Amino acid sequence: MLWLAVDLPLLPLQALPWPSQPGLEAAATLPLAVVEHRRVLAANRCAHGLGVSPGANLAAALALAPTLQVRERSPQQESACVERLALALGALSPRLYLQASGVLVEVQGSLRLFGGIRRLLWRAQELVESCGLHPVMALAPTAGAAWLLAGQGAGRRRSLHASSMVRLLDALPAQRLARLLELTPQQQDLLQMLGCDRLGELRALPRAGLRKRIGAPLVDALARAYGEAPDPRTWFEPPERFSLEVELPHRADDAHALEAALAPLLQALVGWLHLRWQAASVLRLRLVHDGGRHARPDTELRLQLGAPVRDAAHLALLWRERLQRQALAAPVYRLGLALDESVQHAGVAGELLPSVTQDAQARSALLDRLRARLGAERVRRLEPLADHRPERAQRWVEATLAAVPARTSTGTTAPPRPLWLLDPPQPLALDAQERPLLDGGALHLLSRAERIEAGWFDGAPVRRDYHVAFTARHRLCWVYRERRDVVASARNGGWFLHGWFA
């Protein structure tokens, strides 16, 4: 078995809606710090440059940096941050275990899927960084060993075999046991009195006496970390429905800032879809506005996908197109992403050569992007109807990849039909020889009359003779003439222009 530990050493700072990313932090000129019981837990680079370090007293930190921005620790936001990270890592493996400041992932069964340990680690790094977090990752055959190795600031943190894992663990400081179980002050003092600076020295002591002195739970945790005892764990269970919110570090009034804040939620959504074997069909994004004195209602954006999707890059592209054409009533300070509809999706089998399935996926991606950029009401397709009257033989419907019934071969060739129909048909004038005129000259009829008689069953009867015609400007059109017994008194002889051929 192989375990991947993803630790967040700066979790108190990264869990807050602050610009903790390297690029944003470099632009921030204010020192930031998170405190608990008037002690500094974490500080950004600007604060470190002024001498503020974790563990310092708040009064001393303010003396060093009078402009220090102080925030109290928020355990709720930290747990929410760890849960978002776990959902994102669900794209790697369904076997997840949540720690106080990170996530443990059992990746043995995913090595072949990702093409080896190197590619899996690269993918894990991409997922965590896309969530706006800065992790320390370690790899070991046991969960406890991986978590202990992730806690050291420098040195080797990867071990694929039990022998190398034991050597790495033996060299760790004995105080590192606090990462497995919380040490009481008496246990900390006892470890110092024993004179064991390393885990290897502590492990070499008689096991029975060690249990009496420092307690059985700590000895058992050490045995599990070394692989000497079984380590059963309760796996992380994703919520039944996906709905996450995130507070923005700054009030956003443009699409670019909203896209950056939405990226971690999309990664968590994709991980949730993998864990639940689902694919997204309908998404909803809620924008909470900062209206100042005047309250503004929340803006809700709905994204309906032509085909079920669980690809983060594709979803990010669609939301980018949608947000760029959305006018904001006021700056946004909070985002909420929810999954309204999903379908069962067990993945797509790989194929060596291009196939119909790949073509359908490409068309679906194109339709989704057009709908996101232009709006669903502006992307439509023609749907055929069972009616002989041309103006009622088709209708505009929402453009989707819904299956069209296959045509049955009748052994005959269907007459030509133009896609551009005029509504209503345009009456045509006649020349002296009673020929219809269009484009400054008489029409030249290219086809024999195609008679259409229908509508007697719904009170809108038509009796027409249709022709494909050629105009004086070399354009193909579709004209018809009403039956003479229908329009015997018409001045133009019943000739009408009904459509144009491309």
Side-chain angles (χ1 to χ4, degrees):
M1 190 173 292
L2 200 59
W3 287 83
L4 173 66
V6 182
D7 186 25
L8 302 175
L10 297 178
L11 179 62
L13 184 66
Q14 298 182 44
L16 296 177
W18 278 352
S20 57
Q21 294 85 351
L24 294 177
E25 190 179 10
T29 58
L30 292 178
L32 311 173
V34 180
V35 300
E36 184 181 31
H37 304 307
R38 302 190 63 81
R39 289 282 179 181
V40 177
L41 289 180
N44 68 343
R45 292 181 182 178
C46 185
H48 275 288
L50 297 176
V52 179
S53 60
N57 184 274
L58 178 58
L62 289 174
L64 294 172
T67 59
L68 182 67
Q69 302 295 310
V70 179
R71 291 285 294 272
E72 287 289 338
R73 183 182 186 183
S74 175
Q76 295 81 7
Q77 291 182 347
E78 292 179 20
S79 61
C81 182
V82 172
E83 184 175 352
R84 287 199 303 268
L85 174 62
L87 288 175
L89 293 175
L92 298 179
S93 171
R95 297 190 172 187
L96 306 166
Y97 182 78
L98 271 58
Q99 295 283 95
S101 63
V103 181
L104 285 166
V105 190
E106 196 275 295
V107 296
Q108 183 68 46
S110 304
L111 294 180
R112 185 177 179 183
L113 176 63
F114 287 90
I117 188 61
R118 288 182 179 271
R119 292 186 179 181
L120 187 142
L121 290 176
W122 290 341
R123 180 57 181 155
Q125 188 76 24
E126 290 177 355
L127 288 174
V128 180
E129 291 181 354
S130 65
C131 295
L133 303 173
H134 308 291
V136 174
M137 295 194 297
L139 202 67
T142 67
W147 192 245
L148 287 173
L149 293 176
Q152 62 178 350
R156 183 180 174 186
R157 292 190 292 266
R158 298 179 186 176
S159 173
L160 302 181
H161 305 286
S163 57
S164 59
M165 178 193 72
V166 170
R167 290 195 298 269
L168 290 177
L169 290 180
D170 286 345
L172 292 180
Q175 296 295 334
R176 194 64 53 79
L177 284 174
R179 289 183 59 84
L180 298 180
L181 288 176
E182 185 176 355
L183 298 179
T184 63
Q186 293 79 7
Q187 289 175 329
Q188 295 177 5
D189 296 339
L190 184 58
L191 288 176
Q192 293 180 355
M193 293 173 58
L194 289 174
C196 298
D197 296 331
R198 303 293 175 181
L199 289 182
E201 300 172 356
L202 185 65
R203 182 166 165 261
L205 295 177
R207 198 63 55 91
L210 199 59
R211 285 177 177 272
K212 292 181 180 180
R213 291 190 175 189
I214 66 174
L218 200 58
V219 176
D220 293 340
L222 187 62
R224 290 193 295 267
Y226 276 88
E228 299 172 350
D231 190 6
R233 293 178 180 266
T234 302
W235 303 117
F236 167 68
E237 288 290 337
E240 291 293 332
R241 297 188 61 84
F242 180 86
S243 179
L244 286 182
E245 289 190 355
V246 62
E247 186 176 347
L248 276 62
H250 303 288
R251 300 301 186 258
D253 54 3
D254 60 352
H256 180 71
L258 296 178
E259 294 167 20
L262 183 59
L265 300 184
L266 291 178
Q267 291 294 349
L269 168 65
V270 171
W272 185 93
L273 293 172
H274 278 85
L275 291 173
R276 288 288 181 180
W277 294 91
Q278 300 280 323
S281 296
V282 180
L283 297 175
R284 178 168 42 87
L285 181 64
R286 185 168 65 94
L287 309 179
V288 182
H289 297 287
D290 181 14
R293 296 182 180 178
H294 306 285
R296 300 295 181 93
D298 300 343
T299 300
E300 287 199 355
L301 306 179
R302 192 169 182 267
L303 184 64
Q304 184 171 4
L305 304 171
V309 174
R310 62 179 184 187
D311 179 64
H314 182 59
L315 292 175
L317 179 62
L318 297 182
W319 278 118
R320 180 187 310 160
E321 300 286 357
R322 183 66 181 87
L323 290 172
Q324 285 179 351
R325 66 181 182 90
Q326 177 67 34
L328 299 178
V332 179
Y333 76 93
R334 182 181 290 274
L335 288 180
L337 181 65
L339 177 66
D340 285 349
E341 296 181 17
S342 63
V343 298
Q344 290 290 335
H345 185 70
V348 179
E351 296 175 344
L352 178 62
L353 300 176
S355 64
V356 178
T357 304
Q358 295 178 355
D359 294 340
Q361 292 175 351
R363 290 195 300 271
S364 174
L366 175 61
L367 278 178
D368 287 340
R369 188 170 182 181
L370 289 174
R371 286 154 55 91
R373 174 176 294 186
L374 304 176
E377 68 280 358
R378 292 187 175 92
V379 183
R380 299 182 297 171
R381 67 177 177 87
L382 285 173
E383 180 183 61
L385 300 176
D387 200 312
H388 290 286
R389 291 165 291 186
E391 62 271 18
R392 302 192 182 188
Q394 58 192 12
R395 64 177 178 181
W396 289 105
V397 297
E398 184 179 349
T400 61
L401 290 181
V404 179
R407 296 183 179 180
T408 56
S409 177
T410 59
T412 60
T413 303
R417 291 285 188 273
L419 289 178
W420 183 4
L421 294 180
L422 301 181
D423 185 22
Q426 175 186 340
L428 300 176
L430 302 179
D431 61 4
Q433 288 78 29
E434 295 188 354
R435 296 177 301 177
L437 299 174
L438 188 60
D439 284 349
L443 289 175
H444 178 59
L445 303 182
L446 301 179
S447 65
R448 299 179 60 182
E450 176 194 352
R451 179 158 296 176
I452 295 179
E453 295 188 15
W456 52 267
F457 45 83
D458 60 4
V462 297
R463 305 177 68 186
R464 304 167 182 169
D465 291 335
Y466 278 88
H467 299 268
V468 178
F470 198 59
T471 71
R473 295 183 183 177
H474 310 289
R475 296 195 294 173
L476 279 177
C477 60
W478 204 40
V479 297
Y480 71 84
R481 187 180 189 184
E482 295 279 10
R483 290 282 302 275
R484 291 187 178 275
D485 53 350
V486 176
V487 289
S489 60
R491 294 182 179 180
N492 65 344
W495 284 97
F496 292 86
L497 172 66
H498 203 177
W500 292 99
F501 289 94

